[in-house]
């Protein structure tokens, strides 16, 4: 049998290498496309782990925090005092809840320069520091470190001798104003809205702070420092509102060299009050840590269409409505609407006027739900539920009959309401109530009763009873200045200005010009001038919106906006704080079918406004924000 042999073909090594290189190149390109899809813009050098990345991995992926337990400060305290230790334990609790890893260090650690590997240095009540500590802390923050401090930092030497405010002024850019007196057990501390560290906290929220530690009030001197809050209470304290707010900062944040800081004029365990106080302070704390760690933040702006604040003009129509037509002329010329709170008896007596009012805004109820004791004005004498319900239902029916329009709002005669009022209002078909509360925040609050909701709007400014009747300001220029102080305060807070007025005072011919001046001022300052029902419509939708942000790589953030509510949300603005200067910003979507959004970004700035329209019930949208970092 003949055996055939086959000659083996020669292996083409060059071809194999060539094909292999093509496959490798394709894999690399695919890998880079995947990386770009996840992280956006990136540099090849960022793929190579450096010492910083290695340290981060070894530390569990969390930036490290150092808490100073200052022996120098402890030596100043009365023997046996646990004040400093209690403060440090509170810091441990808050840092632990925010999942931040921390070490407790000594004065000597700072003096020896053993702080430069920490991202954040906490100085809790560290009033007494050595000169060497101060030098090292300045060097630390100037080189890019972050400091979270409370009270009079470094105002005393290591020997307990008064040093002054040199460190305080140089590093934080502040000037000491005064200590808060302890004649009040607690002090209201008002938080501003529209800032990265007050994100998702109600604008103008009145945080309650105990005064036992003598909290500090300061004034911001340097443009690199931003005022976050103020101690001044315009309702109870004298003084010029603008100046008093400026001099009564209690929380600030800013930069020093390459680093940054947050300073609070009180110890964090001085925050007391109801559950909301602790919830919102915890949020403030977490936002502060995030900002100090250069993390991005995103939150929905308080008002639609990019407005900085809101305003409602609310005349009270009771037994003296003679001069109200002077106001109607102003509203018509200025093309703005008002919310008229009308006594149902007045509506029955003057139905033609009530119908005219509907051409200049909306009608709401003015109802007597009870009164304050003439002997002790701290005791409420409100009617029982049945009586309140009957009054409210009857008032709504009367007003709707007289005006031919739907009535959903109420103002109690004496600005008072209780739990019975809330149930009676809901059951009588009302959607909002406007009150004269002295301690509430400067934006509306949603009251939930079972499956029902009621919006509470608080009086946020002095009305004409106070300005004209009580202060006896009969000259229009003085009236305007007084109202404008409140306008500027509300704008500073980013809240809602309520201009309550009575025809027999502000609507008189000699005073009505002031209303026009205030409306013009509101327009110039980007206020949303609207009706109370529009405020209700906005807040009933806005409060359902959820916003989250995630950092991806060096130059991309991912923002997700969701609407778990029951209605379409339109014209909302998401504020994005990148926490670093940016240029060449671009916006893309995770899913091709996602409705695109528009945005505004001032060249080189840290903030972006993302405009969201027609966000449907149950809809969620994810946007990729890519940018180039800049040193501008």
């Amino acid at each position: 049998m003949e055996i055939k042999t086959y000659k083996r073909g020669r292996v083409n090594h060059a071809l194999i290498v060539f094909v292999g290189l093509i496959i490798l190149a394709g894999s690399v390109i695919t890998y880079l496309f995947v990386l770009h899809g996840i992280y956006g813009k990136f540099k090849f050098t960022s793929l190579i782990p450096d010492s910083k990345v290695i340290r981060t991995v070894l530390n569990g992926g969390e930036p490290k925090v150092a808490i100073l337990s200052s022996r120098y400060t402890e030596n100043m305290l009365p023997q046996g005092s646990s004040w400093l230790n209690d403060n440090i334990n509170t810091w441990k609790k808050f840092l632990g809840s925010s999942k931040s890893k921390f070490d407790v260090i000594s004065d000597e650690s700072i003096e020896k320069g053993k702080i430069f590997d920490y991202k954040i240095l906490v100085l809790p009540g560290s009033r007494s520091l050595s000169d060497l500590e101060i030098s090292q802390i300045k060097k630390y923050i100037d080189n890019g470190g972050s400091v979270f401090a409370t009270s009079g930092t470094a105002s005393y030497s290591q020997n307990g001798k008064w040093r002054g405010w040199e460190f305080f002024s140089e590093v934080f850019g502040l000037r000491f104003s005064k200590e808060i007196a302890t004649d009040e057990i607690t002090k209201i501390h008002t938080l501003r809205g529209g800032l990265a560290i007050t994100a998702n906290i109600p604008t103008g929220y009145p945080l309650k702070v105990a005064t036992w530690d003598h909290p500090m009030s300061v004034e911001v001197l340097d443009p690199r420092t931003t005022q976050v809050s103020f101690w001044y209470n315009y309702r109870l304290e004298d003084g010029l509102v603008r100046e008093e707010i400026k001099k009564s900062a209690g929380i600030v944040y800013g930069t020093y060299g390459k680093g940054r800081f947050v300073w609070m004029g009180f110890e964090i365990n001085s925050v007391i009050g109801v559950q909301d106080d602790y919830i919102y302070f915890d949020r403030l704390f977490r936002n502060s840590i995030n900002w100090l760690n250069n993390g991005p933040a995103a939150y929905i702006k308080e008002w639609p269409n990019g407005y900085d604040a809101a305003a409602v003009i609310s005349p009270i129509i009771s037994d003296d409505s003679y001069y109200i037509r002077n106001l109607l002329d102003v509203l018509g010329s200025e093309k703005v609407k008002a919310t008229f709170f009308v006594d149902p008896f007045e509506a029955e007596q003057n139905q033609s006027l009530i119908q005219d009012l509907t051409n200049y805004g909306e009608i709401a109820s003015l109802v007597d739900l009870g009164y304050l004791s003439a002997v002790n004005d701290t005791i409420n004498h409100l009617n029982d539920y049945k009586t309140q319900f009957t009054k409210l239902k009857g008032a709504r029916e009367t007003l709707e009959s007289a005006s031919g329009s739907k009535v959903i709002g109420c103002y109690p005669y004496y600005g008072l309401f209780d739990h019975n009022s809330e149930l009676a209002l809901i059951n009588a078909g009302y959607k909002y109530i406007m009150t004269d509360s002295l301690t509430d925040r400067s934006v509306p609050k949603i009251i939930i009763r079972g499956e029902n909701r009621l919006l509470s709007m608080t009086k946020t400014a002095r009305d004409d009873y106070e300005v004209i009747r009580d202060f006896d300001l009969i000259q229009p220029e003085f009236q305007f200045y007084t109202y404008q102080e409140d306008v500027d305060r509300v704008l500073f807070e980013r809240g809602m200005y309520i201009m309550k007025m009575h025809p027999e005072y502000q609507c008189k011919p000699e005073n009505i010009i002031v209303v026009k001046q205030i409306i013009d001022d509101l327009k110039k300052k980007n206020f949303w001038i609207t009706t109370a029902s529009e405020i209700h419509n906005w807040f009933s939708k806005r409060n359902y919106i959820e916003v989250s942000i995630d950092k991806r790589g060096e130059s991309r953030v991912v923002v997700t906006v969701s609407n778990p509510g029951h209605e379409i949300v339109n014209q909302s603005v998401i504020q994005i704080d990148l926490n670093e200067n940016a240029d060449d910003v671009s916006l893309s979507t995770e899913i091709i079918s996602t409705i695109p959004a528009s945005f505004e970004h001032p060249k080189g700035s840290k903030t972006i406004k993302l405009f969201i329209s027609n966000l449907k019930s149950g809809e969620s949208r994810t946007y990729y924000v890519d940018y180039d970092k800049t040193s501008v």
Side-chain angles (χ1 to χ4, degrees):
M1 176 186 251
E2 183 180 359
I3 300 175
K4 294 183 180 180
T5 60
Y6 296 91
K7 193 174 182 180
R8 281 188 186 178
R10 222 166 170 192
V11 176
N12 192 331
H13 293 286
L15 179 62
I16 293 175
V17 171
F18 178 71
V19 172
L21 289 174
I22 292 176
I23 294 173
L24 178 62
S27 300
V28 170
I29 291 171
T30 302
Y31 176 63
L32 293 177
F33 270 116
V34 170
L35 287 179
H36 184 272
I38 297 174
Y39 298 109
K41 302 174 184 177
F42 65 90
K43 298 177 181 178
F44 286 102
T45 54
S46 65
L47 302 177
I48 305 172
D50 57 13
S51 59
K52 182 179 178 181
V53 172
I54 294 172
R55 285 200 306 270
T56 300
V57 172
L58 294 177
N59 288 332
E62 292 287 344
K64 294 191 70 177
V65 179
I67 308 173
L68 172 63
S69 177
S70 173
R71 178 68 63 180
Y72 299 141
T73 300
E74 190 174 13
N75 289 340
M76 292 179 58
L77 303 175
Q79 190 171 5
S81 172
S82 63
W83 179 84
L84 183 60
N85 191 54
D86 291 342
N87 282 332
I88 291 173
N89 285 336
T90 304
W91 277 95
K92 290 179 180 179
K93 176 183 174 182
F94 273 94
L95 288 169
S97 67
S98 66
K99 298 181 180 179
S100 297
K101 292 195 171 187
F102 60 86
D103 293 328
V104 178
I105 64 172
S106 64
D107 295 297
E108 290 76 13
S109 296
I110 295 180
E111 289 171 337
K112 293 178 180 178
K114 297 180 179 179
I115 55 173
F116 291 91
D117 287 335
Y118 293 100
K119 177 59 183 174
I120 300 175
L121 172 63
V122 176
L123 303 174
S126 304
R127 301 170 186 171
S128 180
L129 298 176
S130 69
D131 292 340
L132 184 53
E133 275 183 292
I134 290 175
S135 176
Q136 293 286 27
I137 291 170
K138 285 182 182 178
K139 189 184 301 182
Y140 165 79
I141 189 171
D142 190 43
N143 288 339
S146 293
V147 168
F148 201 155
T150 59
S151 299
T153 310
S155 53
Y156 289 85
S157 71
Q158 68 190 73
N159 298 320
K161 294 182 179 180
W162 176 251
R163 177 188 280 118
W165 303 109
E166 182 180 349
F167 171 87
F168 200 75
S169 177
E170 178 187 347
V171 176
F172 300 150
L174 304 173
R175 176 166 61 197
F176 172 79
S177 296
K178 65 178 181 179
E179 283 188 343
I180 304 299
T182 57
D183 51 353
E184 299 176 70
I185 296 174
T186 62
K187 182 77 172 173
I188 294 298
H189 195 62
T190 303
L191 303 177
R192 294 178 65 189
L195 300 173
I197 74 170
T198 57
N200 302 310
I201 298 173
T203 295
Y205 187 80
L207 199 67
K208 295 180 183 66
V209 179
T211 60
W212 56 59
D213 283 334
H214 300 280
M216 287 176 54
S217 179
V218 299
E219 180 180 356
V220 173
L221 299 178
D222 201 306
R224 62 186 170 83
T225 303
T226 300
Q227 182 174 351
V228 177
S229 62
F230 56 90
W231 294 102
Y232 177 68
N233 188 334
Y234 81 97
R235 300 178 180 95
L236 304 176
E237 300 177 40
D238 296 328
L240 299 175
V241 175
R242 296 187 191 94
E243 288 302 311
E244 294 302 324
I245 288 176
K246 184 180 178 182
K247 294 187 297 185
S248 65
I251 304 173
V252 303
Y253 71 108
T255 59
Y256 178 80
K258 296 179 181 178
R260 48 185 58 196
F261 61 85
V262 172
W263 174 86
M264 295 182 176
F266 53 90
E267 303 307 324
I268 63 174
N269 58 0
S270 297
V271 176
I272 60 177
V274 297
Q275 184 179 15
D276 281 354
D277 291 295
Y278 298 110
I279 290 172
Y280 291 129
F281 181 74
D282 181 70
R283 198 166 292 171
L284 175 70
F285 183 90
R286 291 170 183 264
N287 289 343
S288 299
I289 293 293
N290 180 66
W291 187 81
L292 291 170
N293 276 321
N294 294 81
Y299 51 94
I300 181 170
K301 292 201 72 174
E302 206 70 62
W303 310 108
N305 290 329
Y307 285 108
D308 293 322
V312 174
I313 298 169
S314 53
I316 307 297
I317 312 296
S318 55
D319 58 349
D320 190 351
S321 59
Y322 181 76
Y323 294 110
I324 192 63
R325 293 193 182 276
N326 292 329
L327 175 63
L328 302 186
D329 291 341
V330 172
L331 296 175
S333 65
E334 293 291 330
K335 295 181 174 55
V336 297
K337 301 288 186 179
T339 298
F340 300 93
F341 291 97
V342 182
D343 186 309
F345 179 77
E346 178 69 17
E348 290 178 325
Q349 299 299 311
N350 199 345
Q351 189 167 344
S352 62
L353 171 63
I354 304 308
Q355 290 176 344
D356 285 346
L357 295 181
T358 60
N359 297 320
Y360 297 90
E362 64 177 352
I363 304 297
S365 297
L366 178 64
V367 184
D368 181 3
L369 301 179
Y371 60 93
L372 282 171
S373 169
V375 178
N376 185 346
D377 64 3
T378 63
I379 300 176
N380 299 343
H381 290 265
L382 297 177
N383 302 136
D384 58 27
Y385 166 78
K386 185 176 180 180
T387 304
Q388 291 192 48
F389 173 76
T390 301
K391 288 182 176 181
L392 288 164
K393 187 172 184 293
R396 186 173 65 82
E397 290 174 348
T398 298
L399 290 171
E400 288 184 344
S401 175
S403 66
S405 60
K406 190 173 180 60
V407 172
I408 64 169
C410 171
Y411 183 90
Y413 249 104
Y414 304 100
L416 301 169
F417 73 102
D418 59 10
H419 182 70
N420 286 331
S421 310
E422 295 166 3
L423 295 175
L425 284 159
I426 289 170
N427 293 332
Y430 289 89
K431 300 297 183 183
Y432 69 82
I433 181 172
M434 192 172 286
T435 80
D436 280 345
S437 169
L438 293 179
T439 58
D440 213 344
R441 55 197 181 185
S442 63
V443 290
K445 178 181 181 181
I446 292 179
I447 299 171
I448 301 175
R449 292 289 174 261
E451 295 182 357
N452 299 300
R453 293 183 169 217
L454 181 72
L455 193 69
S456 171
M457 304 183 196
T458 301
K459 175 185 174 184
T460 57
R462 293 165 289 193
D463 62 21
D464 54 357
Y465 273 177
E466 295 163 281
V467 174
I468 301 176
R469 184 190 65 184
D470 299 341
F471 299 166
D472 196 29
L473 299 177
I474 59 174
Q475 294 178 293
E477 57 267 32
F478 293 154
Q479 295 173 25
F480 174 71
Y481 180 83
T482 305
Y483 289 131
Q484 193 183 47
E485 282 195 317
D486 288 332
V487 169
D488 290 343
R489 172 183 53 79
V490 171
L491 179 61
F492 182 78
E493 295 176 17
R494 297 293 191 265
M496 182 171 74
Y497 176 74
I498 297 178
M499 189 176 189
K500 191 177 82 171
M501 67 182 72
H502 306 80
E504 67 271 28
Y505 284 96
Q506 202 61 60
C507 296
K508 283 187 173 181
E510 62 268 29
N511 297 326
I512 195 64
I513 185 63
V514 177
V515 179
K516 183 182 186 307
Q517 292 172 332
I518 289 297
I519 291 174
D520 289 339
D521 194 49
L522 293 169
K523 289 179 177 179
K524 290 176 184 176
K525 293 171 179 173
N526 198 32
F527 275 73
W528 177 34
I529 308 174
T530 187
T531 61
S533 63
E534 285 300 310
I535 295 289
H536 164 265
N537 292 340
W538 166 245
F539 263 83
S540 64
K541 300 173 184 178
R542 176 206 178 279
N543 275 31
Y544 281 110
I545 299 179
E546 297 176 353
V547 182
S548 64
I549 188 168
D550 182 36
K551 178 84 169 177
R552 297 271 183 89
E554 291 188 352
S555 57
R556 165 175 281 187
V557 296
V558 181
V559 180
T560 301
V561 186
S562 305
N563 176 19
H566 306 294
E567 299 181 68
I568 294 176
V569 180
N570 203 10
Q571 300 175 329
S572 58
V573 180
I574 307 300
Q575 183 85 9
I576 302 171
D577 188 334
L578 298 172
N579 221 335
E580 56 190 1
N581 294 314
D583 208 348
D584 294 330
V585 173
S586 62
L587 188 70
S588 58
T589 58
E590 182 180 45
I591 302 173
I592 296 176
S593 60
T594 300
I595 297 174
S598 59
F599 69 93
E600 288 182 1
H601 172 253
K603 185 177 177 63
S605 74
K606 301 177 182 180
T607 59
I608 300 170
K609 288 181 181 178
L610 187 64
F611 299 93
I612 306 294
S613 296
N614 298 317
L615 187 65
K616 298 177 182 177
S617 173
E619 184 181 5
S620 182
R621 302 178 190 171
T622 298
Y623 297 97
Y624 293 151
V625 181
D626 294 299
Y627 58 95
D628 291 329
K629 291 192 291 186
T630 176
S631 59
V632 175

